[in-house]
Amino acid sequence: MKALNNRKRAMNETLSLLAGRVLDGQRLDRAEIDTLLKESERDCDDLLYWANKIRQRVFGNKIKVCSIVPGRLGGCDQDCAFCSQSVRYDTPVEKRARLLSDEEILAAASAAAENGVANFGIVYSGRTITEAELERIERLVRQIVAEYGLSVCVSLGIITTAQAERLAGAGVSRYNHNLETSERHFGNVVTTHKYADRVKTIEAAKEAGLGICAGGIFGIGETEADRVDMALELRRLGVDTVPLNFLHPIEGTPLGGARTLKPMQILRIIAIFRFIMPKVNLKIAGGRVLNLRDLQSWMFYAGATSILSGNYLTTAGRAVAEDMQMLADLGLEVERQIHNIKV
Ligand code: SF4
């Protein structure tokens, strides 16, 4: 017992030291990150404690809330093994792509504004977009910014710098394009496009001056090393928002039978990402409700600073009002961002 307590005290001192270095602006190296990994999910209270301290020091009590709308749903010819929108898998999502009308997208933007959600995302399924689709998005974004003052993010697959520049010109704040996992594991879950395509799109969006929302999905057969590699690549790319998704297995996809991660495993992942990227906005997105269950409010004490609220693309989330109540109960404040300006 005494030896155990001594070990725990020594580890807590190490974590405090590492948190201090992070807060001094130093980047943790691989060996230091490996030290964090020694904290198992069964005994990671000190890791969560220090991750929370980092969050509080960098972000105060501010939390960002985002909502998304699937502008185009399903009908995707790609083969991401976790995704129900691929036509290659027999899933509840229809094989024919469903395009939301302008009215439906504008109604979702209006609802987001009414609910106090300042960040609104339009997500298209598929590898990329056509010229006609790009023109439509430009028009809709201009309208949403003008009418609702929302900060608009878009997720349209693989794009070029020229396309990204047009999106920036239309008023898009941020481009979402996830790495999903490490380069090493990527080929095990996606074969129809390459990891390098994803990196290139992130670089193109960054070059165009867009903010970058890029993260990944966990529980897809990746190792701990894959998670750390993805975090280090995101840190190298200089992204500003990192969505963390946790597999919600959908019947019919290759990962439909995968075992979901436990809540404490998820909290530990969030905390490790907070240590690796202290200043990025860590957004807990898909799979939050299913996987964290009663421990949802703990995500902030593990270092999360943002949530995707309302429904996800193909699965139900939580009502925005319920999430807003959770934030109020925790004494956390929703950060308002009106079209690129923090207020
Ligand atoms: S994640 Fe995107 S690219 Fe991959 S199958 Fe789903 S919709 Fe298509």
Side-chain angles (χ1 to χ4, degrees), residues 72-89 123-128 155 157-158 177-178 180 189-190 192-193 198 313:
R72 182 174 60 200
L73 189 71
C76 179
D77 64 354
Q78 301 297 290
D79 70 350
C80 309
F82 47 82
C83 183
S84 60
Q85 300 192 70
S86 170
V87 292
R88 294 162 193 254
Y89 312 133
V123 184
Y124 267 48
S125 58
R127 182 188 169 93
T128 186
S155 183
I158 295 167
H177 199 61
N178 291 334
E180 308 302 9
V189 282
V190 184
T192 43
H193 58 271
R198 294 199 171 226
L313 291 174

Side-chain angles (χ1 to χ4, degrees), residues 121-125 129 153-157 174-178 313:
I122 304 173
V123 184
Y124 267 48
S125 58
I129 45 161
C153 311
V154 294
S155 183
L156 310 170
R174 191 170 285 107
Y175 196 78
N176 166 257
H177 199 61
N178 291 334
L313 291 174

Side-chain angles (χ1 to χ4, degrees), residues 32-177:
E32 289 165 327
I33 295 166
D34 284 346
T35 305
L36 301 177
L37 301 181
K38 287 184 187 152
E39 290 284 273
S40 78
E41 76 253 18
R42 285 180 301 281
D43 188 23
C44 63
D45 51 317
D46 292 330
L47 180 73
L48 303 188
Y49 174 87
W50 287 108
N52 185 40
K53 287 279 166 218
I54 297 170
R55 175 190 67 80
Q56 286 174 326
R57 278 277 298 279
V58 178
F59 295 88
N61 68 344
K62 294 267 168 61
I63 299 294
K64 270 194 179 147
V65 181
C66 309
S67 277
I68 52 172
V69 66
R72 182 174 60 200
L73 189 71
C76 179
D77 64 354
Q78 301 297 290
D79 70 350
C80 309
F82 47 82
C83 183
S84 60
Q85 300 192 70
S86 170
V87 292
R88 294 162 193 254
Y89 312 133
D90 202 5
T91 73
V93 176
E94 276 190 32
K95 294 219 183 297
R96 210 165 136 225
R98 176 172 180 249
L99 211 61
L100 257 67
S101 67
D102 287 5
E103 291 69 31
E104 286 172 304
I105 291 176
L106 292 170
S110 165
E114 266 172 41
N115 286 331
V117 173
N119 304 281
F120 178 69
I122 304 173
V123 184
Y124 267 48
S125 58
R127 182 188 169 93
T128 186
I129 45 161
T130 63
E131 172 58 25
E133 285 165 339
L134 179 58
E135 283 170 17
R136 176 180 185 233
I137 300 283
E138 288 177 291
R139 178 172 49 73
L140 282 169
V141 171
R142 284 201 173 92
Q143 197 172 340
I144 292 168
V145 170
E147 282 182 29
Y148 306 110
L150 292 167
S151 174
V152 184
C153 311
V154 294
S155 183
L156 310 170
I158 295 167
I159 56 165
T160 62
T161 307
Q163 289 174 313
E165 280 167 355
R166 282 176 52 188
L167 292 167
V172 168
S173 302
R174 191 170 285 107
Y175 196 78
N176 166 257
H177 199 61

Side-chain angles (χ1 to χ4, degrees), residues 140-285:
L140 282 169
V141 171
R142 284 201 173 92
Q143 197 172 340
I144 292 168
V145 170
E147 282 182 29
Y148 306 110
L150 292 167
S151 174
V152 184
C153 311
V154 294
S155 183
L156 310 170
I158 295 167
I159 56 165
T160 62
T161 307
Q163 289 174 313
E165 280 167 355
R166 282 176 52 188
L167 292 167
V172 168
S173 302
R174 191 170 285 107
Y175 196 78
N176 166 257
H177 199 61
N178 291 334
L179 288 182
E180 308 302 9
T181 186
S182 71
E183 183 168 16
R184 180 179 43 244
H185 188 49
F186 190 81
N188 298 328
V189 282
V190 184
T191 67
T192 43
H193 58 271
K194 295 194 162 39
Y195 195 76
D197 297 327
R198 294 199 171 226
V199 171
K200 233 167 122 185
T201 289
I202 292 171
E203 287 169 341
K206 210 173 168 206
E207 208 181 314
L210 290 169
I212 304 296
C213 173
I217 179 163
F218 302 87
I220 56 169
E222 80 283 0
T223 62
E224 192 104 274
D226 290 319
R227 294 171 188 162
V228 173
D229 283 355
M230 180 178 79
L232 292 176
E233 180 65 354
L234 292 167
R235 187 171 79 175
R236 183 190 73 77
L237 288 164
V239 309
D240 60 84
T241 298
V242 174
L244 305 179
N245 299 279
F246 301 94
L247 183 73
H248 182 149
I250 306 284
E251 217 185 307
T253 63
L255 288 169
R259 190 184 291 173
T260 54
L261 294 176
K262 293 185 195 129
M264 289 310 288
Q265 287 178 304
I266 292 175
L267 296 173
R268 178 176 169 274
I269 291 171
I270 299 170
I272 289 166
F273 270 64
R274 175 52 67 216
F275 268 84
I276 298 175
M277 290 177 284
K279 291 188 179 159
V280 307
N281 187 29
L282 280 185
K283 174 163 70 180
I284 312 308

